[in-house]
Amino acid sequence: MEPEYLAALNPEQRAAVMHGGPPLLILAGAGSGKTRVITTKIAYLIQERDVRPETILAVTFTKKAAAEMQERAVALEPRAERSQLRTFHSFGACFLRRYAEFADLVPSFTVYDDDDVKALLSAAVPALSKKEAAEYARHIALAKDYCLSPDDDLTEIDASGALNEIYEKSQRRLLATGNADFGDLIMRPAAVMERDERIRRQMHRRFRVIMVDEYQDSNVAQFRLLRTLSGVDEESSTYVCVVGDDDQSIYKFRGAEIQNILRFPEQFPGTQIIRLERNYRSTGRILAAADAVVRNNSDRLGKTLVAERGDGAAPALAFLPTQADEAEFCARLIEKSVSNAERPARYSDWAILYRTNAQSRSFETEFLHRKIPYVIVGSLRFYEREEVKDALACLALVANGRNEVAFRRIANKPARGIGKSSLEKIIAAADGGDGTEAEAAADLIDAAERRAKTLPSKAAAGTREFCGIIRTLRGILAGTPDPADEEVEADGGAEAGGGGTFESDGRKLSEFVQVMLEKSGLLEYHQEQDKVEGTARTENIQELANSAVFYPLSMDGLLAFLDAVELDQTLAERNGGEAADAVTLITLHNTKGLEFPRVVITGLENGVFPREDKVGSELEEERRLFYVGITRAKDELYITSCADRVLFGRYAHMLPSRFLREAGDVFRVIGKPPAAWTGSANSGGDGGSENSGKADVMARWRAGTIVFHDDFGYGSVASCKNVDGEVVVEVRFETGTAKKFMPEYQAKSLLIIKD
């Protein structure tokens, strides 16, 4: 008699649970019930196939997912508690404890976290600065994800060629301590089993069933571990089952390798594939939109989701003038649904999705003023982010020299040698509290300059540097820029005749914020942090500059801007924290595994989503990211695209995302489509004229063309190709860097040099 739980499964789920023998790849589409299949399969193997629970190993990527699998499997079969349901790293640590001596470890080894690794690296290579140590620690971690040793070619990770030696010294130091880092927890067990046949065979006897969840997120080291552990190369009888969705592989920046799942049938001969295509989350028209997008990818095994909940409403595509209109559109949608007398929605039914954290600012501002409760997932509120606070502190000090809090925060950031003791002396001089000044300084900058002569030499130099920056910024704001500042003069400088502010010539405060970020060193400082930590701080402070575009470039404009920011912060504080019923603001990457009744995916413009530098496999990952976003929606889906958006402190005209054109006519259109939309696939345009246009573009960007890029400098076009209907050029820059671009969408940053 079959277990009752099999009756609750659909035919494909049932086939996956009951499958045995050759390796199995379960292609589990979004919302298809994959966790139910994994946990049911564990129970079924124990109950119906008499597999000993201790011989079952199931691995996933997070403690939360592993705990959920354990709980659900035990609910079906209590003996499943004796199975090994772990994260990859937890399994690796357990293996290394048992075989420590074979991995050059002590059994009581500790696992070094990121800070420990940076400290170790600094000790191993004293010549490295803290920033360099942090960056090389990140490179070494990535090398271990790819199972690369110091003897391998590492130029794909670090083109400078210095990584091999630094990695070797770091690893030697790590081995001397008898400890391991997170990369070692995967790489070392694989290496131990690869070189020691006895241990390898022990593992083959120990685990008769190996299951891997979210296999599309696995990296090269995890693939090596699975392959060795399963004994596929030695005709082991271990049963291997992996579950994943190639269309949801979106973590390449973390080392995930999509080829692991795409090539699984080749790497594990005899593999059978079962597709879970019945979707229990979204309605049919939402799934049609998801399919229309992702089918444009070539790197996929292929499946088509089928809705079990009916067709539902067609997803809407809203064309809007600006990002301010975008935020207002979302707010009105939410308010209308919540106030619906017949079927009122909850705020928590809604999720606003965006490509980067910086895009949250306009929604936060709009929601605060409309008293719409919201929660940001995976990030701080915009004005609580460190880099935004730094920039606002500098602006506040320019506006008001008595702002002690701002002075304390920004005087030594980036580091200028102004320590805590020196700061206190400067503050005391400004207060007149140390009794050494005949008259208290009204301005901290005045006090700092007077105090500089009594400070240690390094602090004195740093203090004078900082005071000079603030005075220069005040001069720019007053319309009297530093004559030596060629950038300011080239950009217009003071009006002819001198005096006055810039307000009369229509220039915007965003230009001043941009200059402040550069002169203060904050832009460079946070760019370095982005390099080391993989964060998006630069985008956030750039968004702060963008928000200043609505104010004139004058002291009055700065004060009005700071007042508006203060009002937004005060409104946020009065909301009393996160409400239980609140709209979710979240990046597309953070939505993986979540679902919401109503979803708005924002910023569908070329250069925003997809990002302008994405081509080839990276563009396919962007497309998968859009697919993931679409499949979060259960009942209603809205997409927004703006005609104009503030970028780099200026209004930029935007083109609708290429993904929208690829999707065809699956959306109902709200608002007036831009001219760029007319004649696209949605309107049945003339493909011949489009191809002709591509030929013209390719002629302009032919090989040998000299170009200039804002970030990379001068270079020449090495190749120009038509890739899936889009012109892609490869440029080799004078620095030796090679980059790919789509010139039709990057005309503002990539320029042809004719002379």
Side-chain angles (χ1 to χ4, degrees), residues 135-164:
E135 186 168 0
Y136 277 111
R138 185 171 58 87
H139 287 334
I140 291 169
L142 189 58
K144 290 186 177 184
D145 285 344
Y146 283 98
C147 246
L148 297 173
S149 75
D151 298 325
D152 291 315
D153 181 2
L154 304 176
T155 53
E156 286 294 317
I157 298 174
D158 176 36
S160 72
L163 180 58
N164 293 77

Side-chain angles (χ1 to χ4, degrees), residues 25 198 238 322 338 374 507 512 566 569 668 673 700 710 744:
L25 168 58
R198 183 181 63 85
T238 300
T322 69
V338 171
Y374 68 90
R507 296 175 71 184
F512 173 74
E566 179 61 30
Q569 291 176 294
R668 60 183 175 90
R700 288 185 62 233
D710 292 343
E744 290 178 279

Side-chain angles (χ1 to χ4, degrees), residues 176-195:
T177 69
N179 294 316
D181 61 21
F182 276 100
D184 288 330
L185 297 183
I186 307 298
M187 189 173 175
R188 288 203 201 186
V192 167
M193 284 188 285
E194 285 172 353
R195 65 175 177 255

Side-chain angles (χ1 to χ4, degrees), residues 391-400 468-482 485 487-488 491 501-503 505-523 541-542 544-559 561-562 648-650:
L392 288 172
C394 195
L395 292 172
L397 193 60
V398 170
N400 177 8
I469 291 168
I470 299 299
R471 289 197 185 284
T472 298
L473 291 171
R474 287 177 178 172
I476 293 171
L477 202 61
T480 54
D482 184 346
D485 190 337
E487 279 190 10
V488 174
D491 215 18
T501 69
F502 288 116
E503 184 173 3
D505 66 5
R507 296 175 71 184
K508 301 300 182 183
L509 186 67
S510 54
E511 296 179 52
F512 173 74
V513 177
Q514 196 72 43
V515 171
M516 178 278 293
L517 291 171
E518 293 169 2
K519 285 189 172 295
S520 66
L522 287 173
L523 182 61
I541 54 176
Q542 186 59 64
L544 182 70
N546 293 343
S547 68
V549 78
F550 305 105
Y551 300 86
L553 203 165
S554 66
M555 180 59 76
D556 287 344
L558 175 58
L559 293 173
F561 173 66
L562 292 173
F648 305 105
R650 293 179 174 83

